[in-house]
Amino acid sequence: MESQPELWIESNYPQAPWENITLWCRSPSQISSKFLLLKDKTQMTWIRPSYKTFQASFLLGALSESNTGLYRCCYWKETGWSKPSKILELEAPGQLPKPIFWIQSETPPLPGCNVNILCHGWLQDLVFMLFKEGYAKPVDYQVPTGTVAIFSIDNMTPEKEGVYICRTHIQMLPTLWSEPSNPLKLVVAGLYPKPTLTASPGPIMAPGESLSLRCQGPIYGMTFALMRLEDMKKSFYHKKPIKNEAYFFFPTLKIHDSGHYLCFYYDGSYRGSLLSDIVKIWVTDAFPKTWLLAQPSPVVPMGQNVSLRCRGSVDGVGFALYKKGKDKPLQFLDATSINDNKPFLLHDVTHHDTGIYSCHYCLTWKTSIRTGTHNTVELLVVDKPPKPSLSVWPSTVFKQGKAITLQCQVSHPVLEFSLEWEERATFHKFSEDGDFIITNIERKATGTYSCSYRVEAHPNIWSHRSEPLKLMGPAGFLTWNSILNEAIRLSLIIQLVALLFVLLWIRWKCQRLRIREAWLLGTAQGVTMLFIVTALLCSLSLAGLCDGVVTEETEIIMPTPKPELWAETNFPPAPWKNLTLWCRSPSGSTKEFVLLKDGTGWIATRPASEQVRAAFPLGALTQSHRGSYHCHSWEEMAVSEPSEALELVGTDILPKPVISASPPIWGQELQIRCKGWLAGMEFALYKEGEPEPVQQLGAVGREAFFTIRRMEDKDEGNYSCRTHTATLPFKWSEPSEPLKLVIKEMYPKPFFKTWASPLVTLGARVTFNCSTPHQHMSFILYKDGSEIASNDRSWANPGASAAHFLIISVGTGDGGNYSCRYYDFDIWSEPSDPVELVVTEFYPKPTLLAQPGPVVLPGKNVTLRCQGTLTGMRFALLQEGTQAPLQFQSAAGSSADFLLHTVGAEDSGNYSCIYYETTMSNRGSYFSMPLMIWVTDTFPKPWLFAEPSSVVPMGQNVTLWCQGPVHGVGYILYKEGEATSRQLWGLTSNDGAFPITNISRASIGRYSCCYHPDWTSSIKIQPSNTLELMVTGLLPKPSLLAQPGPMMAPGENMTLQCQGELPDSTYVLLKEGIQAPLEHQRPSGYRADFWMPVVKSEDSGIYSCVYYLDSAPFAASNHSDLLEIWVTDKPPKPSLSAWPNTVFKLGKDITLQCRGPLPGVEFVLEHDGEEAPQQFSEDGDFVINNVEGKGIGNYSCSYRLQASPDIWSEPSDPLELVGAAGPAAQECTVGNIVRSSLIVVVVVALGVVLAIEWKKWPRLRTRGSETDGRDQTIVLEECNQEGEPGTTTNSPSSTSQGISVELPVPI
């Protein structure tokens, strides 16, 4: 509810009280630029302060007859003038203004409650007197510092009922009194039974119809009162009937008569009854929308039961269920059944139950209200769910380096989708949203696909498969990459064939070739075969290896959101002397701005500032500056759309504004946006054919929104808007381009939502779902009114009734207001309800507070205030467990108030809020810390504990913590036997902490705490647990023993004995890590036995005990020695170490040290390979010598308790002792042997190879040894003589095949 401004008087009391009067007007919650003073309901004057402020003054001067009258004031908001203040009545000099008197309560007080009565006196430093009818003297008086006094009446009883008034007078002039205020009747509710309130003919009526509210009680002769909770002061009606009932008649209802009504009655002594039940009255010309939901699913197998649950926002009205094709309703539900949450039931459904269902309000009285829109549910009764539709984006043909998204769609909720690939039977992909991304790696993704789904109600039944969809590889075009790959493959194949021919020719041509370097031929053959194998491998894998090297990717530069362009100049002194154009981008990643004139010619570029904007100073406006301007914003490799064009036409005419509006819908509200270019302008809306403006708005920024409350046929036509300066003489702009408003036939708006929360972080994945019950539709997605995506039927399968728009990774510029529409040829739907996508974690988190507090009685109101750090933001309130925000609110200041009206148990939970900037792509803050709201009549019980412990040594510090689940509430600490209490209010860094420093005897005792709310409430408060704070060090310490021992197996019994030195004492058992004592005992002797039956592993720990005398409670002894208790089947394993090290040296011994965590144990050392234990020791030290090498090996140790000799611990980790040439040396020797063996094998193998090759060596023949051996011959055999018989050689000595030829070769 909007707060009123405050109006008061300042005057020069007591010297000249009426010679200089000033009226002050103060805004309650936000700064304002204008304040208005009204006299006798007419405008008197208004002022504009030099800067925005909370208050303004109006100087009246000396009070005279012309100044007397009724005064009120208003302040200017973004949406217009505020509600006026309370009425101040100025009368003739010599008398103070009459004060205003009212009660601070929404309903009459109940017995025992406290009542606050407020008296507003208009002047400061007045004396306020409270009078009661029948008493000559005032019953109370106050001297507040402000203009309002609060009289508190505690513990309301029938004796305090009656008629009260208040008067004021000046302290220094006790004879100068004000007129009495209007009387206030104070009635105590709840002394009589509550009445019954009924509405006739019904609680839902149309404007202009009549309504009668009947309030009936059991007692005759009472006075009845009727109240409307939304406006208690203006809607309070009294009637005194003759009988026991009263009728409150409304002859002509209006829209503002809607609300929550209740009544009560009271007698002549103003003793009242309980309040009646609330009756909600609706005054509307059209029913709000109803929703029908099928559970468990709209697709059900035959023979199952189906619940059709109908929901609407109108209370106290029944529903009727209809099926398409039938005139009469199938079933009815009365208001009682709806309150009990009963649905329409269809039992054992068959194919005859298949159809389209809807529900309507069912009224039992006549009214002219039009039936509202409603959604429908298509119920399908099948053996299997019907097949879905499978579509592809962007096309069914793979492109180089690009993926394809397959979208499986169905019109009802689905648990999971499945994608099948016919070419691979084992291929299965699953998705919750129906989107499947297919990549064509190595061209292996082409083929035929289909999809199916299952619903949550029947997770084991999969639907029929969709129609098959075939994906193909690229066809009809070649890329450089594919051409290069094919060329490389072809060249390799040619080389391979050529090498094979060469190899075959050598084999065919040469049978034996004996030359000195014969192995060269083998080498050549080996290299050739290696090259062939390499070519084969490359030709097979080149597509996979080379694609990543030579692939050429083309980056598509998408335009960023268009920026905003406006002008700044010095109005009104020198409007065109210094003109600056500003350009601001909604994207946070903008690097640079560019300004253009007349679409061409770069004017200037400016780097983006931290506010993501840039200034372009033009200086004095001249003839050369005239033209059309727009700007772009540049990001990295991206340029934005152009801004709206700003046209400068001259110094006498303002730039032409831009007018826009969404498509008009009959009967609904329409906003027409007029965007100007200069701040501080006023706006006027014109309709063609009317000479005067149809609407005017003051200076509300650079743009204004004109509202047509209810769009009808008479509102159709051409509209334009103009801007003008705020001061005379007015300078006007040119009219905007005309906007034609025509109401066309439209489909109902689609259902639009996000599958997850619309509040997301950077990089998140967002899917928008736009659906409609109409079939064969195309869809358009809008962002901030601009089309950004479409789902066209040209590529979507026929029959699709839903579209999914996906943002894979949200960026800084993706926030905004999204909506969707669908169309079929020339008929469009209404725009969907907008979804505000907010990109969070840009601004500091806000603070969420509850007023009056986080604990609320059922049926009461609570206000949640979200306090941010920036002004002019939009706020959103969220509740844990819900995806969409509960409420949105725009605020001119830095905070917003969210009202939770008449809360119930379902409103309990954690709430949080954010704020975001609507002009910067909805960039928002972090989420606030969650605030828990409790709807209950009793505070939950807090818990009191001490840190570090409730048993503290003398002189130490301790902190008592009082904590509970309710945050933002103060706590109060009580000590037994003391009247005073320590208080610590909430909302601090150490919430609920009560530090006690240097503890002494005065600090010990019993403590408790409880919540201490800082608001007036009748919610019950429970005390916490009792904490006993003890101080140690004042008595001799006791001893603590465990029987039968400190280590026990789980399930056995144990007794801890605490032995003190003084009689008549109380013993306390403590455990380390637990702040409170475990147990108290008051034995008759000097010892307390703390029995611990059936111990568990959780009972392990370190224990101690203290005691204190009964004559001096909580002044305890010193702590006993600590006792560690082990509850385990096996004690923990010990540790084993060697000294000085693990390597034996000549003539030296090694000492093994076994250490365990328990005292009083016996250790045993074991050596691998020996069955009997090596040694026993009580201290854990074992001396090992290496006589004849017997000390080398692995050792381990364990222990047992002397009190429990049958329980052995786990063995320690093994420890290895080695000799001087230990395993490292042995390992090195073995390695050398292995290496030497390998060398020998390699050398032998080489010798064998050389011997074989030597046998194949060509024989050397020497001829003419007598010629001193200088001439030698090498006998060569012709390679081809065996293959060519009958041929002759070129040598003259060769006559036949097989004859050798000797050729002289110089050596």
Side-chain angles (χ1 to χ4, degrees):
M1 186 178 296
E2 183 182 340
S3 300
Q4 293 176 308
E6 181 184 1
L7 181 65
W8 76 93
I9 306 173
E10 280 190 2
S11 183
N12 189 16
Y13 282 107
Q15 290 81 7
W18 305 113
E19 292 183 4
N20 190 14
I21 291 180
T22 301
L23 299 186
W24 283 87
C25 184
R26 175 184 294 166
S27 166
S29 60
Q30 62 185 15
I31 60 177
S32 180
S33 60
K34 288 193 298 187
F35 291 84
L36 176 67
L37 182 66
L38 300 98
K39 177 187 176 187
D40 298 328
K41 298 185 178 180
T42 61
Q43 178 173 339
M44 179 179 177
T45 182
W46 63 276
I47 64 172
R48 182 194 298 272
S50 58
Y51 56 91
K52 289 187 176 182
T53 180
F54 283 95
Q55 60 188 21
S57 60
F58 299 87
L59 179 62
L60 297 187
L63 182 61
S64 61
E65 290 294 336
S66 62
N67 292 339
T68 59
L70 304 177
Y71 287 85
R72 294 180 299 169
C73 75
C74 306
Y75 64 95
W76 181 259
K77 306 186 303 178
E78 289 185 355
T79 56
W81 291 107
S82 69
K83 289 186 177 180
S85 66
K86 299 181 185 299
I87 297 176
L88 164 63
E89 184 175 1
L90 282 182
E91 296 187 347
Q95 195 168 18
L96 296 179
K98 180 170 67 175
I100 298 178
F101 200 35
W102 74 96
I103 183 173
Q104 191 182 25
S105 176
E106 295 182 356
T107 57
L110 296 173
C113 293
N114 300 333
V115 179
N116 291 331
I117 305 177
L118 282 71
C119 185
H120 191 298
W122 308 108
L123 283 164
Q124 297 186 359
D125 300 327
L126 293 178
V127 178
F128 291 78
M129 295 289 186
L130 179 65
F131 294 88
K132 182 180 179 183
E133 188 179 66
Y135 293 84
K137 295 183 178 181
V139 295
D140 196 2
Y141 77 94
Q142 283 193 18
V143 186
T145 57
T147 60
V148 179
I150 302 178
F151 297 99
S152 180
I153 301 178
D154 299 331
N155 191 18
M156 192 67 189
T157 60
E159 291 77 15
K160 296 180 181 179
E161 294 178 321
V163 179
Y164 290 82
I165 62 172
C166 85
R167 297 185 68 183
T168 63
H169 72 82
I170 300 173
Q171 297 186 49
M172 298 184 181
L173 294 175
T175 59
L176 184 59
W177 284 78
S178 71
E179 286 189 23
S181 68
N182 293 329
L184 175 67
K185 294 181 180 180
L186 197 57
V187 181
V188 180
L191 299 180
Y192 296 111
K194 70 178 180 180
T196 303
L197 183 63
T198 56
S200 177
I204 307 173
M205 304 298 293
E209 296 180 339
S210 60
L211 174 70
S212 178
L213 294 180
R214 176 194 179 200
C215 185
Q216 184 181 26
I219 304 174
Y220 283 71
M222 294 288 182
T223 300
F224 288 82
L226 177 71
M227 296 182 297
R228 186 165 70 95
L229 296 181
E230 283 73 15
D231 195 354
M232 298 283 297
K233 298 170 185 175
K234 291 185 179 180
S235 57
F236 203 95
Y237 312 98
H238 296 270
K239 278 197 175 182
K240 187 173 178 60
I242 300 176
K243 296 183 178 181
N244 63 330
E245 60 184 9
Y247 290 88
F248 300 90
F249 187 64
F250 297 83
T252 305
L253 287 171
K254 296 180 176 58
I255 296 293
H256 60 75
D257 291 325
S258 299
H260 299 77
Y261 289 81
L262 53 83
C263 71
F264 66 97
Y265 58 89
Y266 56 94
D267 57 17
S269 301
Y270 302 105
R271 292 189 294 270
S273 69
L274 292 171
L275 301 177
S276 69
D277 293 332
I278 295 176
V279 173
K280 187 174 183 180
I281 301 298
W282 291 75
V283 182
T284 178
D285 55 357
F287 275 107
K289 189 172 185 177
T290 59
W291 289 95
L292 188 63
L293 180 66
Q295 293 179 342
S297 171
V299 182
V300 292
M302 188 178 299
Q304 298 289 329
N305 298 333
V306 179
S307 299
L308 297 179
R309 198 172 297 276
C310 188
R311 288 291 176 268
S313 56
V314 181
D315 299 331
V317 183
F319 290 117
L321 180 67
Y322 289 84
K323 183 180 179 183
K324 188 175 182 180
K326 294 186 178 181
D327 298 332
K328 295 183 179 180
L330 301 180
Q331 297 182 30
F332 293 94
L333 284 178
D334 56 14
T336 305
S337 301
I338 295 172
N339 294 335
D340 295 337
N341 205 22
K342 291 184 179 179
F344 297 104
L345 294 176
L346 300 179
H347 298 281
D348 299 329
V349 294
T350 63
H351 290 295
H352 298 289
D353 296 312
T354 299
I356 298 176
Y357 291 82
S358 62
C359 71
H360 304 260
Y361 291 106
C362 181
L363 302 182
T364 58
W365 64 91
K366 292 184 178 180
T367 178
S368 60
I369 303 176
R370 293 187 295 107
T371 302
T373 58
H374 54 272
N375 75 315
T376 59
V377 169
E378 184 176 2
L379 187 65
L380 298 176
V381 181
V382 293
D383 297 332
K384 277 188 176 183
K387 63 183 179 182
S389 63
L390 183 62
S391 59
V392 61
W393 187 89
S395 68
T396 58
V397 179
F398 281 105
K399 294 183 179 180
Q400 192 68 34
K402 303 296 182 181
I404 285 179
T405 300
L406 296 181
Q407 297 178 330
C408 191
Q409 300 172 344
V410 72
S411 59
H412 49 79
V414 171
L415 175 63
E416 189 178 30
F417 291 92
S418 173
L419 183 68
E420 295 87 19
W421 188 10
E422 292 186 4
E423 283 75 11
R424 289 178 57 185
T426 59
F427 177 87
H428 281 284
K429 275 192 174 184
F430 299 94
S431 170
E432 293 182 359
D433 57 6
D435 291 346
F436 302 91
I437 299 177
I438 308 298
T439 55
N440 193 24
I441 299 177
E442 296 184 2
R443 294 173 174 79
K444 294 182 179 180
T446 58
T448 303
Y449 292 83
S450 61
C451 71
S452 57
Y453 66 91
R454 56 179 178 174
V455 296
E456 188 173 3
H458 309 286
N460 297 324
I461 302 177
W462 287 89
S463 71
H464 293 280
R465 288 192 179 185
S466 66
E467 295 294 333
L469 182 67
K470 189 172 183 179
L471 301 185
M472 298 174 292
F477 63 92
L478 292 175
T479 62
W480 283 111
N481 186 33
S482 60
I483 293 174
L484 183 59
N485 288 341
E486 293 301 327
I488 293 176
R489 289 191 184 93
L490 184 60
S491 64
L492 288 175
I493 292 174
I494 294 175
Q495 293 181 32
L496 176 63
V497 173
L499 289 172
L500 287 175
F501 271 110
V502 170
L503 187 62
L504 291 175
W505 181 81
I506 293 174
R507 285 295 183 185
W508 173 71
K509 190 70 176 175
C510 302
Q511 294 296 327
R512 289 183 303 167
L513 183 62
R514 291 181 293 175
I515 58 176
R516 189 176 56 183
E517 289 88 4
W519 60 82
L520 291 176
L521 179 61
T523 304
Q525 294 179 352
V527 171
T528 302
M529 292 303 300
L530 179 62
F531 189 81
I532 292 174
V533 172
T534 305
L536 285 172
L537 292 176
C538 188
S539 64
L540 292 175
S541 62
L542 185 63
L545 294 175
C546 301
D547 281 348
V549 178
V550 297
T551 296
E552 180 181 354
E553 296 185 359
T554 303
E555 182 180 2
I556 302 176
I557 302 176
M558 298 296 293
T560 58
K562 64 181 180 182
E564 178 188 7
L565 180 66
W566 75 94
E568 284 189 1
T569 184
N570 189 15
F571 274 110
W576 304 111
K577 298 296 184 184
N578 189 14
L579 179 65
T580 301
L581 300 186
W582 284 89
C583 187
R584 179 170 66 175
S585 170
S587 175
S589 56
T590 298
K591 305 295 183 184
E592 196 172 42
F593 290 92
V594 178
L595 180 68
L596 290 88
K597 178 186 176 187
D598 297 327
T600 59
W602 299 91
I603 296 297
T605 60
R606 291 287 184 273
S609 64
E610 294 182 358
Q611 290 80 20
V612 200
R613 64 180 186 176
F616 299 89
L618 299 185
L621 184 61
T622 61
Q623 188 69 24
S624 62
H625 290 141
R626 296 182 180 182
S628 180
Y629 293 81
H630 63 269
C631 70
H632 293 267
S633 62
W634 277 11
E635 297 182 4
E636 188 173 351
M637 299 300 293
V639 63
S640 73
E641 299 177 11
S643 66
E644 293 173 332
L646 165 60
E647 188 171 357
L648 295 178
V649 293
T651 58
D652 295 330
I653 302 177
L654 298 180
K656 180 193 303 184
V658 177
I659 188 170
S660 61
S662 59
I665 303 171
W666 194 92
Q668 295 192 12
E669 181 182 283
L670 177 68
Q671 283 195 336
I672 301 175
R673 173 179 176 259
C674 183
K675 184 185 184 307
W677 305 101
L678 291 165
M681 296 293 104
E682 297 192 354
F683 296 80
L685 179 67
Y686 292 85
K687 184 180 180 183
E688 186 178 358
E690 298 184 14
E692 297 296 326
V694 294
Q695 291 188 40
Q696 285 186 293
L697 291 175
V700 291
R702 288 187 296 273
E703 63 182 7
F705 290 90
F706 300 98
T707 302
I708 300 177
R709 296 295 180 187
R710 179 182 173 83
M711 193 69 190
E712 297 178 352
D713 296 337
K714 63 181 178 62
D715 297 315
E716 293 183 326
N718 291 325
Y719 289 81
S720 61
C721 68
R722 299 180 68 184
T723 62
H724 65 85
T725 55
T727 57
L728 294 172
F730 291 151
K731 285 183 180 287
W732 287 84
S733 71
E734 287 189 351
S736 67
E737 297 295 331
L739 172 68
K740 188 174 183 179
L741 296 183
V742 179
I743 302 175
K744 296 183 179 180
E745 179 187 0
M746 285 190 173
Y747 288 123
K749 63 184 178 182
F751 181 67
F752 186 55
K753 67 172 184 177
T754 57
W755 279 342
S757 174
L759 309 178
V760 297
T761 57
L762 286 175
R765 177 188 175 103
V766 177
T767 301
F768 294 98
N769 179 26
C770 187
S771 60
T772 175
H774 295 272
Q775 303 296 317
H776 312 290
M777 294 292 166
S778 298
F779 295 86
I780 303 291
L781 180 68
Y782 298 88
K783 179 191 174 188
D784 298 327
S786 301
E787 178 182 339
I788 61 171
S790 63
N791 185 323
D792 200 341
R793 290 183 304 148
S794 61
W795 56 267
N797 284 342
S801 60
H804 308 305
F805 300 98
L806 176 65
I807 301 177
I808 296 179
S809 179
V810 171
T812 56
D814 290 330
N817 294 334
Y818 289 80
S819 61
C820 75
R821 297 177 70 185
Y822 61 93
Y823 64 93
D824 185 10
F825 301 104
D826 59 341
I827 302 179
W828 286 73
S829 73
E830 301 176 15
S832 68
D833 294 330
V835 171
E836 299 187 37
L837 185 66
V838 180
V839 185
T840 60
E841 299 185 1
F842 277 95
Y843 301 115
K845 64 183 177 183
T847 302
L848 187 61
L849 302 175
Q851 296 175 349
V855 183
V856 194
L857 281 171
K860 294 292 185 180
N861 300 338
V862 62
T863 300
L864 301 183
R865 168 163 290 185
C866 186
Q867 180 69 51
T869 58
L870 302 174
T871 59
M873 292 289 186
R874 185 164 170 82
F875 292 79
L877 179 68
L878 302 96
Q879 184 179 10
E880 187 178 18
T882 59
Q883 290 185 349
L886 299 180
Q887 298 181 35
F888 290 94
Q889 196 173 123
S890 298
S894 59
S895 64
D897 293 339
F898 299 96
L899 176 64
L900 301 182
H901 184 75
T902 316
V903 294
E906 66 278 2
D907 296 311
S908 297
N910 282 315
Y911 291 80
S912 60
C913 71
I914 64 166
Y915 60 90
Y916 56 95
E917 187 173 1
T918 56
T919 58
M920 296 293 288
S921 298
N922 285 10
R923 294 192 301 182
S925 66
Y926 286 83
F927 287 88
S928 68
M929 293 296 293
L931 173 65
M932 182 69 185
I933 298 296
W934 300 78
V935 182
T936 177
D937 57 355
T938 305
F939 270 93
K941 191 174 182 178
W943 178 255
L944 182 64
F945 62 93
E947 195 176 67
S949 174
S950 60
V951 182
V952 190
M954 178 74 74
Q956 297 294 322
N957 300 333
V958 67
T959 300
L960 302 186
W961 285 92
C962 185
Q963 292 188 341
V966 181
H967 299 286
V969 182
Y971 298 91
I972 188 167
L973 181 68
Y974 295 95
K975 182 181 178 184
E976 187 179 89
E978 291 187 7
T980 59
S981 60
R982 297 170 181 258
Q983 295 187 21
L984 177 67
W985 299 100
L987 305 177
T988 60
S989 58
N990 52 347
D991 188 11
F994 298 89
I996 301 176
T997 59
N998 194 16
I999 193 168
S1000 61
R1001 284 180 177 269
S1003 306
I1004 61 178
R1006 291 186 175 91
Y1007 290 83
S1008 64
C1009 70
C1010 63
Y1011 288 107
H1012 191 69
D1014 56 354
W1015 70 91
T1016 303
S1017 175
S1018 57
I1019 303 176
K1020 298 177 183 178
I1021 297 177
Q1022 303 182 84
S1024 69
N1025 60 299
T1026 301
L1027 174 71
E1028 295 182 351
L1029 187 61
M1030 288 180 280
V1031 178
T1032 63
L1034 303 177
L1035 297 175
K1037 72 176 183 180
S1039 61
L1040 182 63
L1041 300 175
Q1043 295 294 339
M1047 186 174 66
M1048 303 293 293
E1052 297 184 0
N1053 301 331
M1054 175 183 287
T1055 301
L1056 298 182
Q1057 297 177 345
C1058 185
Q1059 178 79 37
E1061 298 185 6
L1062 299 173
D1064 301 328
S1065 300
T1066 298
Y1067 291 81
V1068 181
L1069 181 64
L1070 308 171
K1071 183 180 180 181
E1072 192 174 278
I1074 298 179
Q1075 292 147 341
L1078 296 180
E1079 190 178 346
H1080 292 72
Q1081 272 199 26
R1082 174 67 174 83
S1084 57
Y1086 292 83
R1087 189 183 75 188
D1089 293 336
F1090 297 100
W1091 188 51
M1092 301 175 63
V1094 192
V1095 293
K1096 304 176 182 178
S1097 58
E1098 294 82 9
D1099 295 322
S1100 299
I1102 299 175
Y1103 290 79
S1104 63
C1105 70
V1106 297
Y1107 66 95
Y1108 58 84
L1109 298 175
D1110 297 341
S1111 58
F1114 312 124
S1117 66
N1118 284 317
H1119 285 265
S1120 67
D1121 293 333
L1122 300 179
L1123 175 64
E1124 187 168 7
I1125 300 298
W1126 295 84
V1127 180
T1128 178
D1129 291 330
K1130 280 194 173 184
K1133 63 183 179 181
S1135 62
L1136 183 62
S1137 60
W1139 187 89
N1141 52 45
T1142 59
V1143 179
F1144 281 106
K1145 294 183 179 179
L1146 187 61
K1148 301 293 183 180
D1149 296 337
I1150 291 178
T1151 300
L1152 297 182
Q1153 296 175 337
C1154 187
R1155 297 292 182 262
L1158 299 178
V1161 297
E1162 183 182 19
F1163 295 91
V1164 63
L1165 182 68
E1166 297 180 354
H1167 187 194
D1168 285 357
E1170 298 184 8
E1171 296 182 358
Q1174 181 77 8
Q1175 298 182 35
F1176 290 89
S1177 172
E1178 292 186 357
D1179 57 3
D1181 292 344
F1182 303 93
V1183 178
I1184 307 298
N1185 52 46
N1186 193 22
V1187 178
E1188 297 180 357
K1190 294 183 179 180
I1192 298 174
N1194 290 325
Y1195 290 83
S1196 62
C1197 70
S1198 55
Y1199 64 91
R1200 62 180 175 181
L1201 289 174
Q1202 295 176 353
S1204 303
D1206 297 331
I1207 301 177
W1208 286 91
S1209 72
E1210 297 181 2
S1212 67
D1213 294 331
L1215 180 68
E1216 186 177 9
L1217 300 185
V1218 296
Q1226 297 174 7
E1227 184 177 347
C1228 183
T1229 304
V1230 172
N1232 291 335
I1233 295 173
V1234 171
R1235 295 186 191 96
S1236 302
S1237 302
L1238 288 176
I1239 292 173
V1240 170
V1241 170
V1242 170
V1243 170
V1244 171
L1246 288 176
V1248 172
V1249 171
L1250 291 175
I1252 294 173
E1253 291 294 329
W1254 179 259
K1255 290 182 180 181
K1256 295 180 180 180
W1257 195 275
R1259 291 174 295 174
L1260 297 178
R1261 298 182 180 179
T1262 59
R1263 188 179 55 184
S1265 57
E1266 65 279 359
T1267 63
D1268 67 16
R1270 290 177 298 173
D1271 294 337
Q1272 297 180 0
T1273 61
I1274 300 176
V1275 180
L1276 300 177
E1277 296 182 355
E1278 285 287 346
C1279 299
N1280 57 349
Q1281 284 185 356
E1282 292 182 0
E1284 299 179 2
T1287 60
T1288 60
T1289 64
N1290 294 328
S1291 175
S1293 60
S1294 60
T1295 58
S1296 64
Q1297 181 182 356
I1299 300 176
S1300 62
V1301 179
E1302 296 181 0
L1303 297 178
V1305 178
I1307 300 177

